[in-house]
Amino acid sequence: MAVTKLPLAKAINESLRVALDTDPKVLIMGEDVGKLGGVFRVTDGLQKDFGEDRVIDTPLAESGIVGTAIGLALRGYRPVVEIQFDGFVFPAYDQIVTQLAKMHARALGKIKMPVVVRIPYGGGIGAVEHHSESPEALFAHVAGLKIVSPSTSADAYWMMQQAIQSDDPVIFFEPKRRYWDKSEVDTEAIPGPLHKARVTRTGTDLTLAAYGPMVKVCLEAADAAAEEGKSVEVLDLRSVSPIDFDTIQTSVEKTRRLVVVHEAPVFFGSGAEIAARITERSFYHLEAPVLRVGGFHAPYPPARLEEEYLPGLDRVLDAVDRSLAY
Amino acid sequence: MTVESTAAARKPRRSSGTKRAGVKRTPQPKATEPQLVQLLTPEGERVQNDEYDGYVADITPETLRGLYRDMVLTRRFDAEATSLQRQGELGLWASLLGQEAAQIGSGRALNDDDYVFPTYREHGVAWCRGVDPTNLLGMFRGVNHGGWDPKTNNFHLYTIVIGSQTLHATGYAMGVAKDGADSAVIAYFGDGASSQGDVAEAFTFSAVYNAPVVFFCQNNQWAISEPTEKQMRVPLYQRAQGFGFPGVRVDGNDVLACLAVTRAALERARSGEGPMLVEAFTYRMGAHTTSDDPTKYRADEERAAWEAKDPILRLRAYLERESTADEAFFAALEEESEALGKRVREAVRAMPDPDHLAIFEHVYADGHALVDEERAQFAAYQASFADAGMGTGTGSGTGFEGSAEEGK
Ligand SMILES: Cc1ncc(C[n+]2csc(CCOP(=O)(O)OP(=O)(O)O)c2C)c(N)n1
């Protein structure tokens, strides 16, 4: 066993290091990923150790970054590209949606697209416009892409390895406000499947399902609910496309109540998809409608309002109460 | 750890003649540095320039002092904002330190009916447009995403997404041309931004439609940690040629030259001759933003070399050499700077947090049922805390003082 306590950002750094070290085809690309080590230092020290040919500072052009990664992948490389912030992925959205996602299908499976697009996402760090968004649903709607988001350092470490090894394009959403949270990583563990949800806390009265930055909030909510005698189960979905509906279904058929929590706007969000599927699958088991807690149908607000906008403990508990009141 | 170069490990499959993978390609030598348009040397000496002197022939001692005052006050404002960030009053600040001449020179070249599309660093241009500097701070404090009405001063909102505004400027200029108006449009962007597809598309559109737009690139040598070598292989201003319009490189630390060159470009645009690219060759003396740590990627000596070209010292040397300004002028300006600093400080500290329901304001011009529903639900939810006597914990303001309504 090689267990160490690492901040989530450092776990990704270690994971990228292993990938660069074991597979000469792996490349890191992005703005400021070299000497600076990225604006969050996730790629810190990698250029120093692997050189400018492997850890590539790119021109300031997101369409260019993803578009050339596609070309490199066609040539046998496995690029891991960094988009500096969630709100800056859109210049690359065209390449991701119209090209990266569809290449494998168009070639009737003859070519593979092992590209990882890393996106630090979500709010809670007091940033300016375009630095706090959660656009995962915009990508989940597109067939051909896989979408994951870790909530712990161990998941960050292992899911990154698995994403890089995947022959499909993976959009890797990194919960930036958890970058500095430390938790244990066993670098010799045998990781579970990339797209499987995890029961993070067991309970009997209600299921909270979340991923990425909201898992921690849900665990805190479950603690608070326990003090009031309510037993809340917490699922860390880990993957947004595909979603592990089986694990959600099993949990819901036990607790009979489900609340889905994410930072992204609720309207047309991943919670809507989960609510619809679980209602289809478990209609007769449900004691309450599936509830959703998330962002509003409004632009992500200025920093001084983000505590209001982001689902916090109180809003999650409010939904728990509403569900239990049915 | 093995640091294997994949390229080196691969066997060449073709014989000589073609460039082979595996052969380390030497980067091309940098194109020889082109001549800058310069009217004032770093020592503050006036140099003749046949092409551009005519554009500043009307400059009086008073206008020169005005340019100096603009630069000093802009720098003072910038320094105040930087320290307010350090004191936790602002979430972030993007300093313009070192770029005062580029911004004041170009900003003072504009007519009132010209329209400006800035990035997030154009505090000096905003100053020239008459935007109250305290209005610039709302977005950096996190109380709004803009804070001024672009139409009041023909100064658009700051744009954070790199390069986007160059297309807006082009479209606006296409509208100006359609209207038969004789005003011009100016778009600011950085050397890094010049790599964005949007900027190339703006160049294409403006050329094809002969739009009256001036592209004003402040090449401050860095895009966060990336030097210009990571963005381009030929001097930036030369890029215009390939799109079919002229480009010029000006000494960005020379306010007089920036004024002259921008006036020339604007005049061209106004008279229907189409777009032009101005590359102001300058330097970002501070960090990219207050979140950045330039010691990770650049040498102190570099900054020191540029300090010798400081735009403000340069004009001061000229003013003193020509006896254009006396001690009393400098002393009065110092006082004015202090007063500005104090005003900014007080205004920021007094800036209230927006009301929590401001989240739902201005999402749509014509309203939207879902927003109304969510606003009502959220208001009821917040009220439930007040009923329970707990308070909401956040949202201290009662009105919308801090929202985008301000300044309208
Ligand atoms: C589309 C996009 N990608 C990335 C960023 C993050 N970012 C903000 S400023 C910056 C560097 C910009 O450099 P440059 O264009 O030279 O302008 P400067 O800030 O030096 O004035 C980067 C990468 C962004 N704002 N927008």
Side-chain angles (χ1 to χ4, degrees), chain B residues 102-114:
Chain B
Q103 294 197 13
I104 300 300
S106 59
R108 285 296 176 210
L110 298 162
N111 290 344
D112 283 350
D113 60 352
D114 293 337

Side-chain angles (χ1 to χ4, degrees), chain A residues 31 62 84 88, chain B residues 120-121 160 162 190-193 220 222-223 288:
Chain A
E31 297 161 11
E62 287 77 9
Q84 204 156 71
F88 307 145
Chain B
Y120 41 80
R121 205 189 288 285
I160 290 179
I162 296 301
D191 45 294
N220 65 9
W222 292 90
H288 169 72

Side-chain angles (χ1 to χ4, degrees), chain A residues 30 50 55 65-66 89 130 155 164 177 260 279 289 320:
Chain A
F50 295 93
V55 181
I65 294 170
V66 173
V89 70
H130 312 299
D155 266 355
I164 293 171
R177 68 165 144 150
V260 189
T279 305
V320 168

Side-chain angles (χ1 to χ4, degrees), chain B residues 54-69:
Chain B
Y55 289 97
V56 287
D58 62 323
I59 295 296
T60 62
E62 197 188 343
T63 18
L64 276 179
R65 285 194 297 271
L67 292 172
Y68 184 77
R69 173 178 172 271

